[in-house]
Every structure is written in structure tokens, then in C-alpha cells.
């Protein structure tokens, strides 16, 4: 069986369809592992992973950390808020200092697009991109597609997926589009015109500004958060107006002939992009996404570690 | 000129048939009787096949126990040891993980691990580790159809053996299955050790 075609997970764009299927297949087995009475395997016991978070994260960081620990890796955590980055240290210096402590893999989130790519060219460790600015968030896209597959109980080839909300500021949207297209799904983005990047039709993505039409079309609706912290311009008049036009409510869903599977990468702004009622309804698979996140990250870590052949001669 | 006849001749030279389906039936029935001797009605026993090739053999044995020996309560499972192997990051190619299906609790139970061929013993060592994640059995035994003697790399010996085989490291044991899940024959062929 062939292994991954890449040595780093920088983005979905660099993966082949076979890579994605291999990750899913491996994640299936890890999903069984994390449901055992003892949820740990020794595969990565000789690997040290550094989680470098230059930007805030709860869920992704926790999910990576649990995945690493379930694989028996040694884990070191770093967050920019309490580090020398604040004193003016460069990214390469920070990372090289950490690598001098013999770290094999780096999971990094950074606010600059391309930060993970840059790092992969300058340091000798396997890099996993845990989000770089508004560019990519590959593990989120993988776990989203993996969750869709189990929710639809079929291959997602030909499935209709609508990504609804703030597309412009979302790395999840871009990675999702790449991933879903590689797997043969039809992708639509939906949101206020101001929050949809211009290049969407060129990428073969359908654009819809009416959320009811998007929901009626879709088999799966992936709801994205309105990223207030990245909005330095007024993209829509008021939050209330956004909620009125784009917030998914139970009434909206009940008016549909067929309710799509509802997904959300978190954190949810309850009452903005979806109401609590929808988030906690039987249509939502938000918590399954979180569970699958650990399995997918275990698979990615395991498959990338497999590329680092042990060397006893040095 | 290479004809199909020369290919067949070559195959015969490089392939040694160890036994066919009739002899296999005798061996499998003997293994079942040995199991009944130690495990009685199997109420406290779980037969666990090792992925990938031990699982089919486990099904055959469980089927025989139910059909020929009236043991209706035989419980089976499948165990994958990929994540517990000691050669991870030491091989060139990736080993594919298979499904573990262990739905019966094994805490305090008697376990019979089942594999087709016992060679270096390394897979079995991994299996003993992997099993711990599901509980602490009161006893763990090992059944193999073929024991490749004198090739062990770890101190592991089987409790039930179909047949001992003396083989070289350049040879490989191959089990041929019929479409209906029944074993057809066992041969020794030239090729890298599995």
C-alpha cells in the first residue's frame, strides 16, 4: 500500500485524492481505537510533537493534543501569548529553538497565510498546518468531509454541499472547497455578496445569496461563523440584519422539502449563523465532527510519522 | 520461447504443495477437538482472529465448532495489530490498518488468538499488547494452522498447531481459499517473507 504523497500537511491543495482516501481509511480504524476502554496505541512513542499556536484556539489545539497523546507521542505546547514572540523573536528563530530540543513534528497555527509552507522549507520537521490566516485549515476540511461521508452513509461523490456564512475570512471554506472538489462533490457558497470572494465561480463553485435556496439545494449545509475579529470594515449593516437574512432557524428548515445535514466547525455564535434549536437538533452533526476530528488528526499524525523513517546509523 | 507450459513447470518447481483440502479437513477437525477439550462449551471463551489472514481461519473454525460439534455459543472477534507493531517507521512501505471488531468483553475470559502462520512471533507480540486495551483475560492461548519452526525471533510458542513446517527465509506459506470461505490448499512458495 502506498503512503502519503506529501511529507507535510500544509493544505488540501497539495494532497491527491488517494491521500484523502488513505487518511479516511486510517481514521476509520482510529475511530474504533478511541472508543476502546483503553484509548491509546504506542505507534508514536518515539515522536515528540510541538503544538505552536501563534493564534488563539481551543478546539483544534485540544483535538491535536488528545490525538497526539492517544498515539503515545510526547507533546509540548506553546502559545504566542506567553512567549518570546512578544519580545520580537522571528518565527524561524522560535521554531529552530524548539527543534533544537529534538522535536520531530510541528503543528502550527499562525495568522499569516503561508506560514506553515514557509516553515516547511526551513526546518527539518514534519509540519502540520492547523490554520494559516484566511488560507487553509486542512485537518478541519478532512474531518468535515469524513463526517459528511458517515452522515450521508455513502461516498460524497456527487453530494451537494453548501458552505454558508462568512466565506471571505474563512480558511475552513477554502480547505473545504479543495477537499470536496477532490472527492467529487458539488460545492456552493452562500452569504452576503460582501463576504464572498470574487474568484469563487472560477474555482467551479456555485454562488448563491439566498440562504433558503441554498438550503433547498443542499444535502449538507456547513455553517461558518461570522468572524467579527477579522472584520475591519462593515461588511453588512447590522448583525440583526445578517441574522434575519442568513441565520438558519428551525422555521427555515421546516419549510424545506428535505432538511440537509447541518454542520458547523465551531465555535458557534448561537443565535447568529444558527439558532440553538438547530445546533442541538437531530439534523446537526456538530458533536460527531468533534469526535471525528480526533480520529482524523490521529490518522494525519500517524501517516506523516510513517514518512520519517528511523535512522539508527547517525 | 516461454509458453504457458513452461510457466506452469516453473511454478511447480518453485511451489511446494503442503496439503490439499482433504488433509486440511482432518487438521481443522483435530484442532476443533483439541479446543473442545480445553474450552468445553466455550461459554467463557472468545476466539480472536488476527487481521488480515487469521480472521477467515477463525470463521472456519467457529463454523466447524457450531456445525460438527454442537457448540452454539462460540464467540469470535477480529483484532488488528498495526498500531502496535514494532517495525513502524522501519519499513519502506506503509502497512495497511484493518478493522478491529471485538464486541464481546474479554475481561476475565479465556482467549484463543488465531492466525494462519506463525513465523517470527512479532505479530503475536503486538497482538498481546493490543489485547490489553480491551481488558485482562484470565488466560490467552495461541492457535496457528502452520508453525514455521526454527524461525522465531521472540520467545513465543503456539498452544495448538495444525502442522509444523520447516522452511527457509526466502520461502512463504500461502493459503488458498475457495470462494465460499473454505480452505482449499496450503503451499510453500518462493518469495519474500510475509
Amino acid at each position: 500500500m502506498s503512503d502519503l504523497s506529501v511529507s507535510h500537511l500544509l493544505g488540501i491543495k497539495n494532497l491527491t485524492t488517494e491521500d484523502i482516501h488513505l487518511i479516511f481509511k486510517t481514521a476509520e480504524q482510529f475511530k474504533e481505537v478511541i472508543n476502546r476502554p483503553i484509548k491509546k496505541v504506542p505507534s508514536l512513542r518515539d515522536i515528540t510533537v510541538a503544538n505552536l499556536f501563534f493564534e488563539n484556539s481551543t478546539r483544534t489545539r485540544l483535538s491535536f493534543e488528545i490525538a497526539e497523546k492517544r498515539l503515545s507521542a510526547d507533546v509540548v505546547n506553546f502559545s504566542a501569548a506567553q512567549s518570546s514572540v512578544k519580545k520580537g523573536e522571528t518565527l524561524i528563530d522560535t521554531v529552530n529553538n524548539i527543534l533544537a530540543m529534538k522535536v520531530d513534528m510541528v503543528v502550527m497555527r499562525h495568522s499569516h497565510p503561508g506560514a506553515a509552507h514557509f516553515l516547511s522549507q526551513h526546518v527539518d520537521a514534519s509540519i502540520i498546518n492547523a490554520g494559516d490566516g484566511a488560507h487553509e485549515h486542512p485537518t478541519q476540511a478532512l474531518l468535515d468531509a469524513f463526517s459528511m461521508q458517515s452522515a450521508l452513509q455513502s461516498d460524497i461523490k456527487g453530494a451537494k454541499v453548501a458552505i454558508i456564512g462568512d466565506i471571505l475570512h474563512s480558511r475552513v471554506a477554502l480547505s473545504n472547497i479543495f477537499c470536496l472538489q477532490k472527492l467529487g462533490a458539488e460545492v456552493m457558497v452562500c452569504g452576503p455578496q460582501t463576504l464572498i470572494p470574487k474568484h469563487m465561480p472560477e474555482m467551479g463553485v456555485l454562488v448563491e445569496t439566498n440562504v433558503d435556496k441554498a438550503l433547498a439545494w443542499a444535502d449538507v449545509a456547513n455553517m461558518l461563523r461570522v468572524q467579527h475579529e477579522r472584520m475591519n470594515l462593515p461588511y453588512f449593516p447590522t448583525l440583526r440584519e445578517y441574522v434575519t437574512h442568513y441565520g438558519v432557524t428551525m422555521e427555515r428548515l421546516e419549510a424545506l422539502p428535505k432538511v440537509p445535514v447541518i454542520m458547523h466547525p465551531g465555535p458557534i455564535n448561537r443565535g447568529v449563523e444558527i439558532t440553538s434549536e438547530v445546533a442541538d437538533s437531530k439534523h446537526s452533526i456538530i458533536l460527531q465532527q468533534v469526535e471525528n476530528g480526533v480520529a482524523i488528526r490521529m490518522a494525519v499524525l500517524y501517516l506523516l510519522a510513517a514518512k520519517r523513517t528511523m535512522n539508527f546509523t547517525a | 520461447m516461454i509458453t504457458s507450459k513452461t510457466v506452469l513447470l516453473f511454478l511447480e518447481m518453485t511451489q511446494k504443495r503442503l496439503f490439499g483440502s482433504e488433509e486440511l479437513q482432518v487438521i481443522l477437525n483435530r484442532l476443533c477437538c483439541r479446543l473442545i477439550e480445553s474450552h468445553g462449551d466455550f461459554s467463557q471463551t472468545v476466539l480472536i482472529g488476527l487481521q488480515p489472514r487469521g480472521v477467515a481461519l477463525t470463521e472456519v473454525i467457529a463454523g466447524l465448532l457450531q456445525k460438527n460439534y454442537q457448540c452454539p455459543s462460540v464467540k469470535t472477534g477480529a483484532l488488528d495489530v498495526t498500531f502496535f507493531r514494532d517495525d513502524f517507521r522501519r519499513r519502506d512501505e506503509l502497512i495497511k490498518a484493518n478493522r478491529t471488531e471485538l464486541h464481546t468483553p474479554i475481561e476475565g475470559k479465556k482467549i484463543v488468538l488465531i492466525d494462519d502462520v506463525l513465523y517470527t512471533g512479532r505479530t503475536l507480540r503486538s497482538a498481546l499488547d493490543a489485547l490489553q486495551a480491551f481488558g485482562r483475560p484470565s488466560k490467552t492461548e495461541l492457535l496457528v494452522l502452520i508453525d514455521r519452526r526454527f524461525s522465531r525471533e521472540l520467545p513465543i510458542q503456539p498452544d495448538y498447531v495444525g502442522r509444523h513446517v520447516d522452511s527457509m527465509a526466502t520461502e512463504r506459506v500461502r493459503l488458498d481459499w475457495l470462494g465460499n470461505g473454505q480452505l482449499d490448499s496450503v503451499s510453500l512458495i518462493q518469495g519474500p517473507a510475509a
Side-chain angles (χ1 to χ4, degrees), chain A residues 232-243:
Chain A
N232 43 11
L233 290 167
Y235 288 91
F236 43 81
T238 63
L239 196 59
R240 201 168 68 173
E241 190 166 327
Y242 182 87
V243 174

Side-chain angles (χ1 to χ4, degrees), chain A residues 61-74:
Chain A
R61 182 171 156 171
L62 214 60
S63 179
F64 265 112
E65 193 170 339
I66 287 182
E68 288 148 9
K69 288 182 169 167
R70 298 275 190 256
L71 288 165
S72 306
D74 289 319

Side-chain angles (χ1 to χ4, degrees), chain A residues 1 29 36 43 308 310, chain B residues 83 89 96 98-99 134:
Chain A
M1 183 168 183
Q29 316 311 334
R36 289 177 186 176
S43 305
R308 298 181 68 81
M310 221 173 295
Chain B
F83 303 131
R89 296 174 61 216
K96 188 178 156 235
N98 284 294
R99 191 132 196 90
F134 295 92

Side-chain angles (χ1 to χ4, degrees), chain A residues 1 28-30 32 36-38 41-43 46-47 302-303 305-306 308-310 312, chain B residues 80 82-85 88-90 92-100 130 132-134:
Chain A
M1 183 168 183
E28 284 284 347
Q29 316 311 334
F30 281 122
E32 183 271 320
R36 289 177 186 176
I38 296 171
V41 294
S43 305
D46 39 20
I47 295 268
Y302 176 82
L303 292 169
R308 298 181 68 81
T309 313
M310 221 173 295
F312 288 101
Chain B
D80 183 69
T82 310
F83 303 131
F84 291 84
R85 294 182 66 103
F88 180 59
R89 296 174 61 216
R90 285 175 173 82
D92 290 336
E93 87 252 40
L94 188 73
I95 305 158
K96 188 178 156 235
N98 284 294
R99 191 132 196 90
T100 292
Q132 283 182 347
F134 295 92

Side-chain angles (χ1 to χ4, degrees), chain B residues 37-58:
Chain B
E37 247 179 356
S38 333
H39 295 269
D41 65 353
F42 290 87
S43 60
Q44 293 302 308
T45 302
V46 187
L47 307 181
I48 298 179
L50 299 187
Q51 286 279 21
R53 288 182 289 266
V55 177
L57 182 63
T58 307

